[in-house]
Amino acid sequence: MRLTFAFILLAAPAGAWDFSPSPICTLTDADGTVTVTYDARLPEYSVTITLPDGTWSDDPAFAMNFVGDRPIFIQTDRHQISPDGRSLTVTDSGFGNVLDGLAFNQRAYAISGDTTVGVSLEGIGPAMEAFRACPEANLA
């Protein structure tokens, strides 16, 4: 069933990306699958991948594979799964590879265990520019 879910997401039409500077810098896709935040007070970034249905497996590794003009594959064991199992979050003080992967590629794949979620990065440019400029604005 999870494999079927992944293919449904891969076939879904591209959505827009939104940016909000308040209360912390937040970048989200239109479906709410991917949320990237930056809290300048900590300072700390996070990326959360939320499944509309099903739950993430309790796998020891999480990876993101960015496919396009500047492919990047990153992996970590520092992820957490929400109590309901639908959201997986990675938090860190540096997120250059994640932000570059999102900004310079066409698709992102979040992978943990037997679950893969594909997200279109089409149209992320303006929202990503605002997100990257946000930390300075929130520190003022």
Side-chain angles (χ1 to χ4, degrees):
M1 180 165 162
R2 288 184 184 186
L3 189 55
T4 302
F5 174 69
F7 285 120
I8 290 169
L9 282 177
L10 296 177
W17 287 80
D18 296 309
F19 164 75
S20 173
S22 181
I24 61 172
C25 307
T26 304
L27 176 69
T28 56
D29 71 321
D31 297 330
T33 302
V34 177
T35 301
V36 181
T37 64
Y38 178 73
D39 188 336
R41 293 168 294 183
L42 297 179
E44 191 171 79
Y45 291 90
S46 74
V47 60
T48 300
I49 315 296
T50 302
L51 302 174
D53 297 306
T55 58
W56 288 99
S57 63
D58 190 20
D59 196 85
F62 170 72
M64 290 193 79
N65 189 18
F66 300 97
V67 179
D69 296 334
R70 290 175 55 180
I72 301 172
F73 180 85
I74 55 178
Q75 185 171 331
T76 185
D77 62 357
R78 296 173 33 191
H79 60 287
Q80 296 181 355
I81 298 173
S82 65
D84 68 1
R86 290 187 51 229
S87 297
L88 183 150
T89 301
V90 177
T91 305
D92 202 339
S93 60
F95 246 48
N97 284 339
V98 173
L99 297 181
D100 286 349
L102 292 168
F104 301 118
N105 290 288
Q106 285 73 49
R107 289 200 65 79
Y109 297 93
I111 307 155
S112 184
D114 61 355
T115 303
T116 298
V117 178
V119 178
S120 172
L121 302 175
E122 185 177 330
I124 197 171
M128 178 59 76
E129 287 178 30
F131 182 83
R132 285 188 160 174
C134 181
E136 293 82 19
N138 281 350
L139 289 174

